[in-house]
Amino acid sequence: MLTFKETLAAYDRAQHDTATLASAIDDLTIPTPCADWDLADLFGHMVGQNVGFAAAVADGDAPLAAYESVPVDSEDVARRWQESATRVRDAFGAADPEATIHLAEFGFHPTVTMALGMQLLDAAVHNWDVAAALGIASRPDEATVTHVHDIARQIASSPGGTPVFATPLPMSGDDPWNDALRLLGRDPAWTAMG
């Protein structure tokens, strides 16, 4: 199990990896593994999540509107991503790990540590989504793989599933990262070309 400091470092790496991908994008109409979302939709969602989580962590709460998708275009996607990533990282870095916050999107009150764990899963998986859309192989470090796999199992086994991720796909047991993706409704073999 990752400590808060280790989770924050892994989160930094995932955010940095996505920033690198964002800086190379010139076409946001490319489809992604997220059903009905192209890269513009995905980055808009990710930036909005960063902004919402940053506000909730810094202030203890944030309205639902704080998490709304942010319109991006190919000329500002890298800048918008980096600004939002810095904002949320700074908020987590300055927070008391044991403080309780309210996440309006989910309607519950996790600790900052739990919220960071959720965000690490989101950052790692969405980094894979972007990389897959661009035809680039992406896999986080093994500690992050274990973290994401463990939380993905909890999400997939929760009663009624979750509206946040797609329906889980059958696991194959071939690889914990691939199975984590399947648990979150993603086909590890997905490509933009179909």
Side-chain angles (χ1 to χ4, degrees):
M1 184 172 177
L2 296 172
T3 65
F4 183 82
K5 186 176 179 180
E6 290 167 340
T7 305
L8 191 59
Y11 185 53
D12 279 346
R13 288 191 295 273
Q15 299 279 52
H16 177 267
D17 290 346
T18 301
T20 300
L21 294 172
S23 67
I25 294 172
D26 56 13
D27 180 4
L28 291 175
T29 66
I30 298 170
T32 74
C34 303
D36 302 321
W37 278 6
D38 62 15
L39 283 171
D41 298 318
L42 179 56
F43 268 99
H45 162 76
M46 293 190 302
V47 170
Q49 288 295 298
N50 282 350
V51 171
F53 268 80
V57 171
D59 302 331
D61 196 1
L64 276 173
Y67 299 87
E68 288 180 0
S69 181
V70 174
V72 297
D73 60 43
S74 58
E75 294 186 4
D76 72 2
V77 63
R79 176 185 60 79
R80 283 186 175 268
W81 170 256
Q82 189 58 58
E83 288 175 353
S84 71
T86 298
R87 184 173 170 187
V88 70
R89 194 273 177 226
D90 288 351
F92 276 116
D96 173 358
E98 298 309 313
T100 300
I101 63 172
H102 178 235
L103 295 178
E105 273 195 318
F106 303 98
F108 78 114
H109 297 78
T111 63
V112 168
T113 295
M114 290 175 61
L116 178 59
M118 293 167 59
Q119 275 297 87
L120 174 56
L121 175 141
D122 214 47
V125 172
H126 282 325
N127 183 72
W128 179 86
D129 291 331
V130 174
L134 298 174
I136 299 170
S138 173
R139 180 189 179 95
D141 61 81
E142 290 309 305
T144 300
V145 168
T146 299
H147 172 86
V148 172
H149 187 264
D150 289 348
I151 295 181
R153 278 194 317 206
Q154 294 173 33
I155 291 170
S157 65
S158 61
T162 173
V164 179
F165 295 102
T167 302
L169 303 177
M171 292 196 298
S172 70
D174 63 336
D175 176 84
W177 177 243
N178 287 344
D179 276 345
L181 294 171
R182 291 181 183 106
L183 286 165
L184 300 172
R186 288 155 168 81
D187 177 359
W190 183 95
T191 67
M193 300 301 291

